[in-house]
Amino acid sequence: MKPSAYVVANWKMNKTGAEAQSFVEKSSKLLLNMEKAKVIFCPPFTALFDMGISLEGKPWILGAQNMHWEASGACTGEISSDMLKACRVEFVILGHSERRHNFGEPNNWINQKVLRAISTGLHPIFCVGETLEERQSGKMEDVLHKQISEGLAGVKNSNGMLIAYEPVWAIGTGEHATAEQIEKAHGIVKNYVCESLGDIGKDIPVLYGGSVNPENAGELIKAKSVDGFLVGGASLESESFSEIIKEVETFIKE
Ligand code: 13P
């Protein structure tokens, strides 16, 4: 049993504002009386405003998938922390592997984003994870160390930060990490987070992400080091996402 747990939906580049609103309506019916898990929805930027209105009065929280570290200025195509907050966003995913690998975001950009999010009152969902090649060549620890020490440099106050361990080889592949692999990786992540942040690192929840679905969520949430999930594909249908939330809820203490 766990004192609390998070279930975060990362919708990536899926759903318009209207689709996001109807998802919330449908999920509300499926999840009546399920209010123990902390559920965060991260729709695309264009759906944030509508989603913020839909979530009013609901026990769920709004998150974004990325942001820029500057307050404003000549950054075509980017979004600032104030713009997110104006849509009622509270959490922001930073350093997702798709940003790191497909869009070339280096650790020092992610670090600036983390610092900006914290200083403006947003809670970062800071993502780390190794590729299959890095794991197979024994570099997993080094990769996690670099991502964490550089990504969290200068952080003095975690401001409700969540960490997500998402091994790149498990994202969107249908092949999730085993509970044993997750426990080991989360232990490494936790150590490096404490090395970077000191005592405040101990209380930062560590979520797992990578092919989480209704079939494996019940087994994976039992792992001691898992404080919740960051879910991609299975968060796109309200039925499968609700099933995952129900699995998680059964492991949260009253
Ligand atoms: P999948 O759940 O589709 O594997 O995606 C995981 C992910 O990238 C969440 O951020």
Side-chain angles (χ1 to χ4, degrees):
M1 296 296 266
K2 299 171 191 292
S4 67
Y6 292 83
V7 187
V8 184
N10 177 7
W11 282 348
K12 307 191 180 184
M13 198 171 69
N14 294 286
K15 298 193 191 297
T16 61
E19 288 166 343
Q21 285 186 314
S22 67
F23 186 102
V24 171
E25 284 314 307
K26 203 164 166 190
S27 305
S28 305
K29 290 181 195 120
L30 291 171
L31 289 168
L32 282 176
N33 304 323
M34 292 269 168
E35 297 191 0
K36 284 191 281 176
K38 295 179 177 136
V39 176
I40 305 170
F41 286 99
C42 303
F45 293 137
T46 49
L48 284 172
F49 189 80
D50 288 335
M51 191 78 177
I53 292 169
S54 292
L55 293 182
E56 215 171 294
K58 306 242 168 10
W60 306 327
I61 307 161
L62 187 59
Q65 298 174 18
N66 192 15
M67 62 169 241
H68 197 270
W69 61 84
E70 291 291 347
S72 62
C75 303
T76 302
E78 293 289 339
I79 298 278
S80 74
S81 144
D82 279 354
M83 293 168 188
L84 297 183
K85 290 198 298 178
C87 296
R88 310 176 194 203
V89 166
E90 295 178 50
F91 282 81
V92 58
I93 297 174
L94 298 172
H96 190 278
S97 81
E98 285 149 20
R99 299 300 318 170
R100 291 176 184 273
H101 297 288
N102 304 344
F103 297 94
E105 286 198 13
N107 287 322
N108 71 319
W109 287 15
I110 298 162
N111 178 238
Q112 292 180 78
K113 293 176 184 207
V114 168
L115 292 170
R116 167 68 67 178
I118 291 173
S119 72
T120 56
L122 289 172
H123 312 301
I125 303 174
F126 173 62
C127 302
V128 296
E130 81 289 355
T131 63
L132 187 59
E133 193 267 324
E134 287 161 348
R135 171 172 278 263
Q136 288 175 338
S137 57
K139 294 193 196 125
M140 179 175 96
E141 287 208 30
D142 288 348
V143 169
L144 294 175
H145 189 226
K146 198 169 160 60
Q147 289 175 341
I148 293 167
S149 62
E150 294 182 11
L152 297 184
V155 171
K156 300 273 180 288
N157 150 23
S158 65
N159 191 39
M161 181 190 311
L162 307 178
I163 310 252
Y165 168 66
E166 296 205 301
V168 180
W169 48 272
I171 295 179
T173 59
E175 187 198 342
H176 66 87
T178 63
E180 201 179 320
Q181 287 170 321
I182 297 171
E183 291 279 58
K184 185 163 180 218
H186 280 202
I188 293 167
V189 166
K190 203 90 190 167
N191 274 342
Y192 290 145
V193 169
C194 289
E195 183 188 284
S196 288
L197 304 186
D199 274 357
I200 55 168
K202 278 195 263 172
D203 298 327
I204 297 182
V206 184
L207 319 186
Y208 167 75
S211 296
V212 174
N213 60 37
E215 284 72 49
N216 59 35
E219 177 209 330
L220 297 179
I221 196 68
K222 285 186 207 154
K224 201 163 169 284
S225 66
V226 173
D227 298 314
F229 298 125
L230 180 50
V231 188
S235 71
L236 292 174
E237 297 298 332
S238 42
E239 288 82 2
S240 51
F241 191 54
S242 303
E243 284 306 314
I244 293 172
I245 295 170
K246 282 181 193 163
E247 292 288 351
V248 169
E249 290 248 336
T250 59
F251 274 86
I252 301 174
K253 283 189 205 138
E254 287 292 350

